[in-house]
Amino acid sequence: MRRQRQTLRDIRTERDQQAQRLRALALVEGLANSSPDAIFAKDHDGRYVVFNPAASRLTGRTAKDAIGRRDAELFDGATAALFDAHEAQVRAAGRAMTFEERLAGPQGERTLQVVRGLLGNGHGVGSFGVARDVTEARRIEVELEQHRRRIDDLVQSRSTIGMPESLSALITNRLPGRVAY
């Protein structure tokens, strides 16, 4: 009788733990599905097991299309090779790493900042990624650098255009990260 009660307690404890795991899994799924960033995970064979809606929008592939497939089945050879190389670097380092990657998708070529890392579970090691589209930020950075160069050129040529020294110093000192001429 005592043994049966203990077995029953053990079964209830296991059931409660499974219920907690299911609630945690539902929470993680909700987070991934509501994230504006692409979130994906792969098993130890490199097959997608998680592919959130943002990943679908970015790649033009539905989760149904991606789950169970490898990069080589979803992307062109060069892109798949780059993803594989980055994951190999993460495995070699044994820690999460950040990469800048380019991906051709339904919105054209996008620049992504991707955090890739390792997942561990009882059945082996897989990998995960969180990709943020930084295309617009990179475009603005390039444009800003072009403007800075133009201003630098103007300041350098101040003597030929007759710009007073005080105006030149004012312009130069207002540019972040610039040394006064």
Side-chain angles (χ1 to χ4, degrees), residues 66-87:
I67 300 297
R69 296 195 175 174
R70 294 185 176 105
D71 288 331
E73 298 171 81
L74 297 173
F75 305 107
D76 66 79
T79 300
L82 177 67
F83 293 171
D84 289 344
H86 286 167
E87 287 183 11

Side-chain angles (χ1 to χ4, degrees), residues 145-170:
E145 185 56 33
Q146 290 171 346
H147 289 299
R148 284 185 177 148
R149 283 191 208 125
R150 284 188 201 126
I151 290 171
D152 285 346
D153 289 346
L154 285 172
V155 169
Q156 286 290 338
S157 64
R158 70 181 178 262
S159 60
T160 60
I161 60 172
M163 183 184 297
E165 188 68 34
S166 58
L167 181 57
S168 171
L170 179 66

Side-chain angles (χ1 to χ4, degrees), residues 19-30:
Q20 286 176 344
R21 284 192 289 268
L22 285 173
R23 285 191 297 275
L25 185 58
L27 177 63
V28 169
E29 183 179 22

Side-chain angles (χ1 to χ4, degrees), residues 22-172:
L22 285 173
R23 285 191 297 275
L25 185 58
L27 177 63
V28 169
E29 183 179 22
L31 289 170
N33 287 341
S34 63
S35 174
D37 294 335
I39 298 174
F40 56 88
K42 300 176 188 178
D43 65 15
H44 63 281
D45 290 325
R47 296 181 187 280
Y48 285 93
V49 294
V50 173
F51 204 80
N52 78 338
S56 293
R57 285 188 298 276
L58 192 62
T59 63
R61 309 280 187 172
T62 66
K64 184 179 176 183
D65 292 338
I67 300 297
R69 296 195 175 174
R70 294 185 176 105
D71 288 331
E73 298 171 81
L74 297 173
F75 305 107
D76 66 79
T79 300
L82 177 67
F83 293 171
D84 289 344
H86 286 167
E87 287 183 11
Q89 286 180 321
V90 168
R91 281 191 303 279
R95 62 178 175 79
M97 299 174 73
T98 302
F99 301 93
E100 191 161 293
E101 301 173 352
R102 297 199 188 288
L103 177 68
Q107 303 161 355
E109 184 173 277
R110 310 307 290 173
T111 302
L112 308 173
Q113 184 179 48
V114 184
V115 176
R116 291 182 179 273
L118 300 175
L119 288 174
N121 59 34
H123 306 292
V125 174
S127 63
F128 74 90
V130 178
R132 175 164 289 172
D133 186 345
V134 294
T135 305
E136 186 64 14
R138 294 300 180 261
R139 185 194 65 74
I140 290 169
E141 287 173 1
V142 167
E143 190 175 308
L144 212 99
E145 185 56 33
Q146 290 171 346
H147 289 299
R148 284 185 177 148
R149 283 191 208 125
R150 284 188 201 126
I151 290 171
D152 285 346
D153 289 346
L154 285 172
V155 169
Q156 286 290 338
S157 64
R158 70 181 178 262
S159 60
T160 60
I161 60 172
M163 183 184 297
E165 188 68 34
S166 58
L167 181 57
S168 171
L170 179 66
I171 291 171
T172 304

